[in-house]
């Protein structure tokens, strides 16, 4: 049976950032997981104001489900 992969709308996506600024070692400060990307961006702004660090690794996570394709001839 054919399936389509779709985002699971019953689960909130997750956003986070980690500061990777630094010459020898990365800062490593983390925003923590947030449900709103704007909250992560605000954390980045505040961290930059406090530290002058400018480089971040951002991550996005979500859940997916496989849903059967209906009405598809085999």
């Amino acid at each position: 049976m054919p399936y389509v992969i779709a985002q699971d709308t019953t689960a909130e996506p997750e956003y986070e950032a980690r500061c990777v600024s630094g010459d020898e070692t990365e800062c490593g400060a983390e925003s923590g997981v947030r449900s709103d990307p704007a909250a992560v961006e605000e954390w980045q702004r505040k961290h930059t104001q406090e530290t002058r660090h400018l480089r971040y690794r951002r991550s996005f996570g979500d859940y997916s489900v496989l849903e059967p394709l209906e009405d598809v001839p085999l």
Side-chain angles (χ1 to χ4, degrees), residues 5-70:
I5 299 173
Q7 187 176 34
D8 183 350
T9 59
T10 66
E12 292 283 325
E14 299 173 338
Y15 306 87
E16 61 185 316
R18 179 173 46 90
C19 179
V20 295
S21 294
D23 295 328
E24 297 295 319
T25 60
E26 295 179 356
C27 168
E30 298 180 343
S31 67
V33 175
R34 313 285 174 95
S35 61
D36 181 5
V40 174
E41 292 170 3
E42 183 60 25
W43 175 85
Q44 287 178 265
R45 285 186 194 91
K46 287 181 181 179
H47 185 72
T48 295
Q49 287 174 345
E50 295 169 1
T51 64
R52 300 292 180 230
H53 294 166
L54 301 173
R55 190 162 187 261
Y56 297 86
R57 183 181 192 289
R58 299 185 303 175
S59 299
F60 167 77
D62 69 346
Y63 294 86
S64 64
V65 292
L66 274 77
E67 299 174 343
L69 272 174
E70 297 178 17

